[in-house]
Each structure stands twice: as C-alpha cells, then as structure tokens.
Amino acid sequence: MLERTLSIIKPDAVKAKNAGKIIEMLESNGFSIIGMKKIHLTKEQAKKFYIVHKDRPFYDSLTDFMSEGPIIVMVLEKDNAIEDYRKLMGATNPEDAEEGTIRKLFGTNIERNAVHGSDSKESASYEIGFFFNELELV
Ligand code: CMP
C-alpha cells in the first residue's frame, strides 16, 4: 500500500555534508521525495517534536542536539514506506545497525545517529503534519 513517512537528516549528518549521499540512497531505494525543507529548530520546537520521549533520560540532550544546527526534513512516499525506510535507516544505535544502512554508514552514536524516521502510521501522520501542510506535498 502506498504510504508516507517523515524523514529527518539530523544536524550531525547535515554538518558533515552527508545529506546528498543520504538523499541518493533514498531515491535509489525507490522512495519519492514529495516534500522537503531545510530548517533550524529551536530547542522548544525540538521538545515539541519529540514530546513522546519527554520522560526519557535522554530527552534534554536529544533536543539540544536536534536544535544545534539545520536539519533537512522530507516526506517520503513508497509502497510500505514506513517499514522500508526503517530498514534502510538501520538500528537506532549505529553500532547495532546492519552494514549498508544509513545509520551504519553515517551515524556516530545512539544519539547522533544521522537520521530519523516515523515508527508507525500514527506517528507518520503526526510528524508529517508537524512540518508540512498538504499543499506543500507534491
Ligand atoms: P530517533 O529515531 O530520532 O528517535 C528518538 C531519538 O532519541 C533517537 O533517534 C536517538 O537520536 C535518540 N535516542 C534514542 N535512544 C537513546 C539513548 N538511549 N540515548 C541517547 N539518545 C537516544
């Protein structure tokens, strides 16, 4: 089934100039980019985006990291996009990620892990709506 998911190229990967390589991987794996923007989140915006993690010990550090520099936010479309993009990203911790995955190639540690992807239909819907309105998706 044709699905949409939210992808973020995080500040570590943008700063390291790995965005182009990551976008190339997305397109060569069949994802269509139907929305895209580069933005620099404030700490408050990062806290709002990651509100589901508000009680986790890493929440403050994660939201500092996500607001330290620009990110590239994309809406990806493909059959089975949510699960397929999670496979392409690899495990949250780059040390545990399979060879050839984005996090294995470009992640540094469990926090500075290069990319984010929605983990369910519900989170994809919330996360896409957080960054884009329907008119921006083409
Ligand atoms: P992401 O897929 O964006 O979802 C939540 C983020 O929190 C995750 O990627 C990591 O960047 C970060 N994260 C998850 N677990 C930990 C952890 N144990 N310690 C630090 N950061 C974490």
Side-chain angles (χ1 to χ4, degrees):
M1 198 182 82
L2 200 59
E3 275 181 354
R4 293 175 175 184
T5 191
L6 186 90
S7 164
I8 302 178
I9 304 178
K10 296 186 177 184
D12 57 332
V14 172
K15 189 173 181 198
K17 301 204 183 296
N18 287 324
K21 284 168 251 172
I22 292 169
I23 291 166
E24 204 288 318
M25 285 176 76
L26 298 173
E27 292 196 319
S28 63
N29 280 275
F31 293 90
S32 296
I33 299 166
I34 63 165
M36 186 176 196
K37 59 177 88 171
K38 186 176 188 182
I39 54 173
H40 189 157
L41 292 177
T42 64
K43 170 85 171 172
E44 287 311 307
Q45 289 168 332
K47 283 172 77 172
K48 190 171 174 207
F49 179 74
Y50 278 117
I51 194 75
V52 293
H53 296 307
K54 68 178 178 7
D55 296 324
R56 303 286 193 97
F58 55 81
Y59 184 58
D60 190 50
S61 171
L62 170 64
T63 52
D64 274 347
F65 162 52
M66 290 301 291
S67 57
E68 77 178 27
I71 59 175
I72 295 172
V73 192
M74 288 171 282
V75 178
L76 306 178
E77 192 172 75
K78 183 185 179 296
D79 280 341
N80 207 34
I82 296 169
E83 195 187 325
D84 286 0
Y85 178 50
R86 291 183 70 76
K87 278 192 201 142
L88 184 61
M89 286 195 297
T92 304
N93 189 344
E95 273 181 33
D96 302 331
E98 281 184 35
E99 292 298 329
T101 59
I102 297 172
R103 284 170 168 162
K104 184 72 173 188
L105 287 165
F106 304 116
T108 304
N109 59 42
I110 195 164
E111 180 173 274
R112 304 178 76 84
N113 61 355
V115 283
H116 167 82
S118 311
D119 65 4
S120 64
K121 282 190 206 301
E122 294 69 35
S123 60
S125 172
Y126 170 75
E127 292 177 0
I128 291 168
F130 187 91
F131 287 107
F132 295 91
N133 65 58
E134 197 60 33
L135 290 173
E136 296 174 296
L137 303 179
V138 290

